[in-house]
Amino acid sequence: MRAEVRRFTMAHPGDVSALAAAIDRGEVTAASIVAIIGKTEGNGGVNDFTRGYFTQSLMLMLSGYLGEPAESLKARLPCVLSGGTEGVLSPHYVVFMRAPDAGDARPPAGRFALAVGTAFSDPLPAEAVGRAAQVRSVAQAVQAAMRDAGLVSASEVQFVQVKCPCVTSERAADALARGASLRTSNPGRSMAYARAAGAFGVALALGERTESDLDESAMLEDFSVQSSRASISSGVEVVSNEVIVLGNSSAWSGPLLVSCHVMQDALDIAGVTLALEGAGIHPSPQVSGVDRARIRGVFVKCEPDRRGRIAGNRHTMLDDTDIDAQRHIRGALGGLVSGVIGDNRIFVSGGAEHQGPDGGGLLAVVAER
Amino acid sequence: MRAEVRRFTMAHPGDVSALAAAIDRGEVTAASIVAIIGKTEGNGGVNDFTRGYFTQSLMLMLSGYLGEPAESLKARLPCVLSGGTEGVLSPHYVVFMRAPDAGDARPPAGRFALAVGTAFSDPLPAEAVGRAAQVRSVAQAVQAAMRDAGLVSASEVQFVQVKCPCVTSERAADALARGASLRTSNPGRSMAYARAAGAFGVALALGERTESDLDESAMLEDFSVQSSRASISSGVEVVSNEVIVLGNSSAWSGPLLVSCHVMQDALDIAGVTLALEGAGIHPSPQVSGVDRARIRGVFVKCEPDRRGRIAGNRHTMLDDTDIDAQRHIRGALGGLVSGVIGDNRIFVSGGAEHQGPDGGGLLAVVAER
Amino acid sequence: MRAEVRRFTMAHPGDVSALAAAIDRGEVTAASIVAIIGKTEGNGGVNDFTRGYFTQSLMLMLSGYLGEPAESLKARLPCVLSGGTEGVLSPHYVVFMRAPDAGDARPPAGRFALAVGTAFSDPLPAEAVGRAAQVRSVAQAVQAAMRDAGLVSASEVQFVQVKCPCVTSERAADALARGASLRTSNPGRSMAYARAAGAFGVALALGERTESDLDESAMLEDFSVQSSRASISSGVEVVSNEVIVLGNSSAWSGPLLVSCHVMQDALDIAGVTLALEGAGIHPSPQVSGVDRARIRGVFVKCEPDRRGRIAGNRHTMLDDTDIDAQRHIRGALGGLVSGVIGDNRIFVSGGAEHQGPDGGGLLAVVAER
Amino acid sequence: MRAEVRRFTMAHPGDVSALAAAIDRGEVTAASIVAIIGKTEGNGGVNDFTRGYFTQSLMLMLSGYLGEPAESLKARLPCVLSGGTEGVLSPHYVVFMRAPDAGDARPPAGRFALAVGTAFSDPLPAEAVGRAAQVRSVAQAVQAAMRDAGLVSASEVQFVQVKCPCVTSERAADALARGASLRTSNPGRSMAYARAAGAFGVALALGERTESDLDESAMLEDFSVQSSRASISSGVEVVSNEVIVLGNSSAWSGPLLVSCHVMQDALDIAGVTLALEGAGIHPSPQVSGVDRARIRGVFVKCEPDRRGRIAGNRHTMLDDTDIDAQRHIRGALGGLVSGVIGDNRIFVSGGAEHQGPDGGGLLAVVAER
């Protein structure tokens, strides 16, 4: 197998014309698309509808090319969107494709290439959100996505993007009517628990942590429990845990690689550099134009430090009544990473509980060798 | 003369206790203070009252130490505040002090040290705002501040911070009653014109541009006209053009230097690095702990690119109804510069019309040699 | 002819299930729908994509019932949406339908019933926006919509909703390339000019003003020039002036009426009452439950007073950097009108330049007799 | 005794010149001032510093007239400010004064006049916040304020304004170091608990509820437990429970009365009317100019319905990531009450837990007979 990754910009959240044009030009085969990760220009919160608008527009467009109903496409193609292009960030989406090898294209012995796998778990009942049941469900889906990608060892996995269902008012009412008890009935809080359970599930699947470390009581409490390769989002629009696994494998061909590194805090430019260096890119201080052209996607997960300080000094993100804390931190990390790379088409997502160090996060780069 | 510069954090905009404690400990002599530049945690807009609150609190506190009325202090000490600590930024203020040389402290031949000078222009009538009269008034005040600092040549000047009056509803009514005509009666627009005139005035005083380049019609129109060393703010709370000049002079002693460099766009990490290198600091990729301890203040001026693109890709700052464009860009540059330096006590101010390249800006560093 | 009007709520901007269910139940005939006016829960500004998302979802759904492509429906059904459900407001949409009379249903002599007409102008070039050409185009479309409704006299018209195209960056570039000159190339400013031209066009069509009053120079300058029955919105998503006319006519049957009244300022509860009384509804102080059940739609147009005062006291809407002034005023009028009516499904739209008194606006009610 | 009440507007949160001018003109005797309730134009949240700025400015100004240190004034004059003048609201403050009777001024038998009393509780430790200890402390302070006002029966009390301390990070750390346990260590959450405890305390003092109803476990859980006369705010800036009691008493003289009524929901215009009618004012639909001139202060407490619906329809306040829910509801109620009264100098405060009906609130009017 051979992975291809392309990045497209959009004029607004309903604009999928750039991908359509690439399909029309024969540069992209619609049937080869397996996953999408993107940033739309909403606020990233509960009332951000740019994600739904983009997804509806994308699935409608692909439906036209593939002759498969939009609803069916939505149920088999993970489309993970983060709302909020604060600061310099540019709305864009990264399309992951897979194709059979072109005959002799397998990489020479000892060489690795980008591997992409996806999986959907069974639908998750509301009472499982933020509980061991969700941890196991995510872990199993991660392992299914690894099998889908032909990745045999956790050490081959660099980055796992998961989109988890959360509790909505309707699902809560339904669960309570069945006599089930919920970890929380607050939708916003359930999103945080779902992200925690997702991170725990990735840590379990990758062997970063054992099941005994991953007690429910550690969720949103003990932030030393973490995965260094998990990027989790949660939303009302999904019913299953949806997983995209990126790894490097000797079984895959093509020119692409993926590299991931943690960031210790929101100022950790060294962590950014280490992720790039894992892909053979050396910023000084910015990535050169030649290297920049090799980059196909950059994915950042970050979090406003909940202790209220960065590098010892007070920050004001958590106390701002007018701008949401996640909007603040996305803008800051977007500024830092875009500056290092010299490109503002960066996926930056907040809500990094248990995903990399507390107050920090992680960064993955997909690039040509 | 010898300059001293100290940086203090605050718990809220009315908290000046850190400076008071330093005075109480004898580390700062209240009478030596000549200027203050700081960031408070408001929104940076017309309805940001954190600047007024901090100024009131500071002048009251200093009045207690100096036995001079707060109003009198306000009229002789420039106190330039930028509201808005978006993203990682930390509320703080930088205090500039001057003291006679300690006898033999003059630097050895060929060595330069930080020089600080201040000046206030005459009160500026509303009809002069955004016009040649303001350009000349600022230019004269810059030259007065240079003389105050003993800086004899424009080449010795690195950074000029100006705070300009603008048009308010009351001043507009008063001017019209006198039969005067205004460049604009819109307060927000007049602030932009005042910043433009301030930048033109600095460019004129430093010989960066000749008077013929600095036609009123170029203001807010021809952004190729610019000063590479001007940082201008405008506010309703001042009636004169208030100027702080920072330079390096062989006539001054002490361990400090100032270095300034332009940024070509909002991603220009190389410009950040060049400003630091001018102070002998080499980030790789972050400033080391030892070098970081030498830094006394970092001052950034920036602007959301008005053409709507950064590095060729659409940004969304100018079209966001929920977050002001200046809040967006401060958050992004704050993230970038804080990451390079490893410290989030960075003064980042928007509204950089004609101050460095269009869509970019400039950055100054005060540090120990 | 006979008009029917139904109001539906939505769970989110992509949710048109309530109308679909009414069609499925046979309560609404899809083919009878002629226009939609609604409120979605975005911010109402340039970056509010809830309007596009709702329109896409609605046209897709109707396309399924009518077998007509969504694009074609969009080109013949005016769908005027106002983003922003600040305060108590509830996202909802009002559907206007027309059907032939049921035989003997014509109202008795001297009785009037709601008449609904629509029209689309020719596509408007960018250089016409905010100019006499747009005024004439709107006036002609209003007259076409009157003819469509069988309204023979302007005195029969109560309320005219218009959606006008504005200048976008692309349209501006295209116009300049053709050698055309624009009233403004600023998209936001062009929306205000388009609303002004729309209001002027309605005033002209209804004979409220003569052509000589409606000089281009009065737009956004002389707010004594106004229409008391115009509600104008402007958006990038339309290319023609789209018009919905509501009147009362003896040629129509059915139980509905429309009543409209101006509001002198944002506190004008008497204006609200007068509009209701025109529909035979007498709040005391709130509309009774019986009368409330007769109401099919309430449409409010309002504006933050640009002189900065209401009833003599300073308001702060125009100076707030964190909340857009239009969001402020919609929340206030939404609170007032919802309280009088006892229902929060109220269409409240800002941007009321030349639509009712300056600093005030107008209100229309559609209700059963 | 005789109460006097005056209302003043401000140009910005540091502007107390209107009161100073009234003192200078001899219209207000500085020494007669006993309490202040006002609205400033911040965001009303944790990072709203307009309240501190106004208080500092006011106490400094009064200190100049009274020769008493500002800190001392702050410790004896309750100054309750609500930030946020959303929509039509105008920044203003209401000054409560007391003076000995002017000889024969005692009201005729059977007549009542406005009585004003204040009290401060002992400093409240952090571990008491949101617990029975705070309920008792508030109840005792309310009774002390009643005694201060000479109000002998709870039935004479119409309105109780309380400002309660909450838990801050520092106070939490201090309490934990002493071995005390906290109801919550989250500052925002502790403010809600403090308001709940304040409302419980008022209900206890006024005999609206018995101690057995007022169990800690009912706080923020059982909203059927409520006071119909309590308006509670909470802030980091106070250390004691500060109380202002307003009542009508036959022992007081002067022309003023106070009237209070609950609002069942955010649309309850009938509740607004009933409060006005209690002061002999009959809006139809707006208060007449003559009656409006009799009004000295209007105080509203309100809350976004936590069940997500108003009058059966979904509202969007609780899910908005860009505008805080309290800002939304203040704007809506400000619009409604300002419209009824024809004046936008209305004190509207959110956070009405247990203060009037859930999803509703209450309204008090001080007016001349």
Side-chain angles (χ1 to χ4, degrees), chain A residues 267-291:
Chain A
L267 309 185
D268 188 10
I269 193 172
V272 178
T273 297
L274 287 167
L276 286 163
E277 291 181 342
I281 293 173
H282 302 270
S284 64
Q286 197 174 70
V287 169
S288 70
V290 169
D291 282 347

Side-chain angles (χ1 to χ4, degrees), chain A residues 23-38:
Chain A
I23 296 173
D24 288 340
R25 285 193 307 266
E27 295 169 17
V28 166
T29 303
S32 73
I33 297 171
V34 295
I36 300 95
I37 302 178

Side-chain angles (χ1 to χ4, degrees), chain A residues 238-291:
Chain A
V238 294
V239 292
S240 305
N241 297 298
E242 306 184 7
V243 175
I244 306 169
V245 164
L246 304 184
N248 298 315
S249 163
S250 61
W252 285 62
S253 64
L256 300 180
L257 281 176
V258 57
S259 166
C260 183
H261 204 277
V262 297
M263 294 184 293
Q264 295 301 326
D265 64 19
L267 309 185
D268 188 10
I269 193 172
V272 178
T273 297
L274 287 167
L276 286 163
E277 291 181 342
I281 293 173
H282 302 270
S284 64
Q286 197 174 70
V287 169
S288 70
V290 169
D291 282 347

